[in-house]
Amino acid sequence: MELKVEKISKVFGTTTVLDSVSFSLERGQKVALVGNNGTGKSTLLKILAGVVEADSGTVKKRKGLVVAYLPQDTSLVSEETVEQYLRGVSGIASLEQCLDSSSGAPAEYERRNGYGFQHCMELVLAGLGLRLLACDRPINTLSSGQKSKVFMAGVLLSDADVLLLDEPTNNLDLPALIWLEHFLSKSEAICLVVSHDRLFLDRVARKIMEIDWYTRQLTVTNGRYSEYLARADKERERQLEAFIAQQEEIRRLTESARAKRIEAMQGASYRGKDNDKYLRGFKRDRSAGSGKTAKAIEKRIEHMDSVAKPVEREMFRIELDAQNPGGTRDITLNEIVAGYSQGFRIGPISLFVPYGSRLAIIGSNGSGKSTLLKTISKQLVPLAGSVVLGNSLIIGNLMQEHDNLPRTDSMKDCLMRRGKLAKQDTYALAVRYGFQTEELDKKVADLSPGGRARLLLAIFSALSVNVLLLDEPTNHLDLEALDALEEAVQHYQGTVILVSHDRYFLERFKSTDTYLITEGGLVRQTSLATYLAKAEKEAKRLIRDTWDVV
């Protein structure tokens, strides 16, 4: 046993987040920690990492156990170079300082492959999509996405016994995501991962731990994530069928007992004629028997093992009905150059998007996918060329960082103003999108990323947008909301332009066209499957190179 958790609980204010949670982890186990948003997954990882204290219960670790933690917020502020940071966080730098002064340091340094660390570091950075990043680059000059990847590289290079990973796929492009899957699968470390990427969980995890949204307790099952989902669905169906069957049996028995009670009352009150004493006796004897039978039936009902009705959350639905007024509804890009006058740019790009198209845009991080969407939505003015939008288009832009939301507004004011809603309609819409009425006075800035995504989707619903620009929409939504978004997009009649690294979502999106942004240009792909096969092949090559030196 490497790590054992016994009956830990955590309460924030009046809300119980974790209630008597227990489990143990063995070397090499790959575990998915799942549950709806707000069920305490991140809190549990923080407790295991020592960042947050549990209110009760214990966390027991093997002596010398090394734990590495990747939080969702991986912002780095440092004047160190990438190499200095990675040598420091991995422990290699401190071992190098001890090489001459400690007799045990050389052996440990060699065990950690200190002499080959530089090459290993470069391979891990390459696997995460930072092959061209100079290792002498200061951390504080990197983009937020690059910082997140460097932070992850530090976690993976730390030689930890336990990896606690909170949404590790959020800032990864498809090749890097596939590489990470292979890396974790080959690692001998325990891996406890929180992720909304269903295919990633299915490939990596072989044990599922679920925090129940209602009880805040944890259940553990073995197998792949897809198997867990299938079992959970069957168990819910079985429990519901058993509950319905028992209720039907109770109704039948109750009706039978009631009939016997009536029969007993009628027999007991039978008078008949004066000379009909035998019939009167018979009626009274039978009424006594009926009364006993009624009591026996009621006793039987009382001693039944009660089958609980499954506690179901109200189904979360996203309603996106595209408004189709008269006028033009196509999108045309004429030789646009998109980006910033003194910085990054892509193009020239020409593209015609007929109304009702479903475009998937893929590419490595930093290739310009978000820049292209911002230019189409006219948030960015093109440096050259033109963007022509049909005069009846209503665009819903779900940005990765949700920068198009006013952070200082309350959620209520934002919904009323942006969604053009009356006050009473605002409350009804917010509830439909998973918010509590008391949350409406919250500032937009205080909402979680998932909450801000749901707020934008609620606004799109209110406006009946007929173009959806979706920039990594699956990053911050829980699985319930993902299922709802997937279903809504499948039935959506307007134009959709999707940027995503979520293969499960991409495959079910059923794009009419798939484009790859590479070297500043837009290249049409024969299929998503072909691109993924190439990415898989390259990831496997990088993994082989990495494991040759690890």
Side-chain angles (χ1 to χ4, degrees):
M1 188 275 298
E2 297 280 281
L3 185 150
K4 188 172 185 179
V5 171
E6 295 181 332
K7 296 184 177 180
I8 63 171
S9 297
K10 185 67 181 176
V11 177
F12 290 114
T14 59
T15 303
T16 298
V17 178
L18 300 170
D19 185 12
S20 195
V21 167
S22 299
F23 61 90
S24 61
L25 297 175
E26 302 290 345
R27 181 172 175 79
Q29 286 187 325
K30 306 298 184 291
V31 184
L33 180 59
V34 301
N36 296 97
N37 278 358
T39 51
K41 302 185 298 294
S42 294
T43 299
L44 179 55
L45 291 190
K46 289 175 182 177
I47 290 172
L48 299 180
V51 177
V52 168
E53 285 189 13
D55 294 331
S56 60
T58 58
V59 177
K60 298 178 181 178
K61 301 175 183 176
R62 171 181 58 79
K63 186 177 181 181
L65 190 78
V66 178
V67 176
Y69 170 52
L70 179 80
Q72 280 195 57
D73 178 13
T74 53
S75 56
L76 287 172
V77 180
S78 174
E79 295 182 359
E80 292 179 299
T81 67
V82 171
E83 182 173 352
Q84 287 170 337
Y85 170 77
L86 292 177
R87 284 183 176 274
V89 77
S90 65
I92 291 295
S94 60
L95 284 174
E96 287 174 337
Q97 291 176 350
C98 298
L99 282 177
D100 297 328
S101 59
S102 171
S103 59
E108 177 64 10
Y109 188 72
E110 190 166 341
R111 186 193 72 78
R112 292 286 312 277
N113 192 26
Y115 298 105
F117 182 81
Q118 175 82 24
H119 185 43
C120 186
M121 173 186 69
E122 291 171 354
L123 287 171
V124 169
L125 289 173
L128 292 172
L130 298 177
R131 180 174 57 85
L132 300 179
L133 182 69
C135 291
D136 60 356
R137 180 102 170 259
I139 294 284
N140 55 16
T141 67
L142 304 180
S143 69
S144 59
Q146 289 172 326
K147 287 178 182 177
S148 296
K149 287 184 172 184
V150 170
F151 197 112
M152 180 178 288
V155 169
L156 299 182
L157 289 166
S158 65
D159 195 36
D161 302 299
V162 180
L163 300 174
L164 305 173
L165 307 178
D166 198 351
E167 297 292 357
T169 67
N170 273 1
N171 294 295
L172 299 184
D173 46 44
L174 281 166
L177 194 157
I178 293 168
W179 178 88
L180 180 62
E181 287 174 351
H182 288 290
F183 185 98
L184 295 178
S185 296
K186 290 180 75 70
S187 171
E188 293 183 1
I190 292 170
C191 179
L192 182 57
V193 58
V194 172
S195 177
H196 297 145
D197 190 311
R198 291 159 284 192
L199 195 52
F200 178 80
L201 292 180
D202 215 40
R203 288 189 169 193
V204 172
R206 294 297 176 269
K207 184 184 287 286
I208 311 298
M209 300 197 314
E210 180 190 17
I211 301 175
D212 185 83
W213 68 273
Y214 185 70
T215 66
R216 300 307 173 110
Q217 295 178 339
L218 184 137
T219 56
V220 182
T221 57
N222 292 319
R224 295 177 185 270
Y225 181 65
S226 55
E227 295 167 343
Y228 150 78
L229 288 177
R231 282 196 301 268
D233 284 342
K234 284 183 180 178
E235 176 57 25
R236 275 192 294 271
E237 288 176 10
R238 185 205 64 76
Q239 190 177 352
L240 183 58
E241 287 173 0
F243 173 77
I244 292 171
Q246 186 179 70
Q247 293 302 303
E248 179 60 30
E249 177 67 359
I250 289 172
R251 188 200 63 75
R252 186 186 68 78
L253 291 173
T254 302
E255 183 61 30
S256 177
R258 189 180 72 83
K260 290 296 182 183
R261 286 283 184 199
I262 292 172
E263 190 177 285
M265 289 171 60
Q266 290 174 341
S269 60
Y270 182 80
R271 293 291 179 266
K273 298 177 180 178
D274 292 341
N275 62 352
D276 205 3
K277 60 182 179 180
Y278 295 110
L279 180 60
R280 186 165 55 247
F282 170 75
K283 291 276 190 183
R284 289 178 178 174
D285 288 345
R286 195 169 74 168
S287 76
S290 296
K292 288 178 182 178
T293 302
K295 284 182 180 179
I297 292 172
E298 288 164 352
K299 211 71 166 170
R300 181 178 167 188
I301 295 172
E302 188 181 325
H303 286 88
M304 273 186 178
D305 290 330
S306 178
V307 177
K309 183 179 181 181
V311 181
E312 297 282 357
R313 284 165 64 96
E314 187 176 345
M315 185 67 74
F316 178 52
R317 296 190 182 280
I318 296 172
E319 298 171 357
L320 296 172
D321 296 319
Q323 189 178 136
N324 292 318
T328 57
R329 293 176 288 169
D330 302 328
I331 298 171
T332 305
L333 309 183
N334 295 314
E335 292 291 307
I336 67 159
V337 175
Y340 306 88
S341 56
Q342 301 300 318
F344 174 80
R345 61 180 64 190
I346 56 172
I349 291 172
S350 292
L351 183 66
F352 176 65
V353 186
Y355 183 72
S357 297
R358 302 169 69 82
L359 269 58
I361 299 177
I362 53 180
S364 60
N365 283 358
S367 61
K369 303 186 298 295
S370 296
T371 300
L372 181 61
L373 290 196
K374 288 177 182 177
T375 306
I376 292 172
S377 68
K378 296 200 170 182
Q379 182 183 348
L380 273 181
V381 177
L383 301 173
S386 63
V387 176
V388 181
L389 302 178
N391 58 21
S392 65
L393 290 184
I394 307 167
I395 294 179
N397 186 9
L398 184 63
M399 300 172 61
Q400 228 181 121
E401 304 302 327
H402 313 133
D403 292 336
N404 50 342
L405 280 174
R407 301 301 173 97
T408 57
D409 280 9
S410 70
M411 191 166 67
K412 177 178 65 181
D413 291 340
C414 180
L415 269 175
M416 289 176 67
R417 190 158 50 83
R418 292 289 183 90
K420 301 176 183 177
L421 293 168
K423 189 174 181 180
Q424 62 270 24
D425 295 330
T426 297
Y427 282 90
L429 185 64
V431 169
R432 283 213 312 273
Y433 277 77
F435 297 104
Q436 303 296 320
T437 53
E438 56 268 24
E439 288 183 280
L440 281 170
D441 289 324
K442 250 187 188 180
K443 298 290 185 188
V444 171
D446 295 332
L447 294 175
S448 68
R452 291 197 295 271
R454 283 187 285 118
L455 176 59
L456 276 168
L457 290 168
I459 292 170
F460 298 167
S461 176
L463 294 176
S464 296
V465 299
N466 52 22
V467 176
L468 285 175
L469 303 181
L470 303 178
D471 193 358
E472 301 292 2
T474 65
N475 270 4
H476 302 296
L477 297 176
D478 62 19
L479 293 168
E480 179 188 41
L482 278 180
D483 287 339
L485 179 61
E486 186 180 291
E487 183 177 353
V489 170
Q490 281 179 348
H491 295 95
Y492 184 68
Q493 298 299 307
T495 298
V496 187
I497 303 180
L498 169 69
V499 168
S500 180
H501 64 255
D502 188 320
R503 291 153 296 174
Y504 189 92
F505 194 89
L506 280 167
E507 287 168 0
R508 281 150 185 78
F509 175 58
K510 292 184 172 56
S511 62
T512 54
D513 297 281
T514 299
Y515 288 93
L516 171 67
I517 293 188
T518 178
E519 298 179 353
L522 198 62
V523 182
R524 193 172 188 277
Q525 302 295 290
T526 54
S527 70
L528 175 65
T530 301
Y531 173 78
L532 290 176
K534 290 179 182 176
E536 186 88 37
K537 185 177 179 180
E538 175 62 11
K540 286 180 178 177
R541 183 189 67 77
L542 286 169
I543 281 291
R544 283 195 302 270
D545 292 345
T546 305
W547 243 257
D548 285 343
V549 298
V550 169

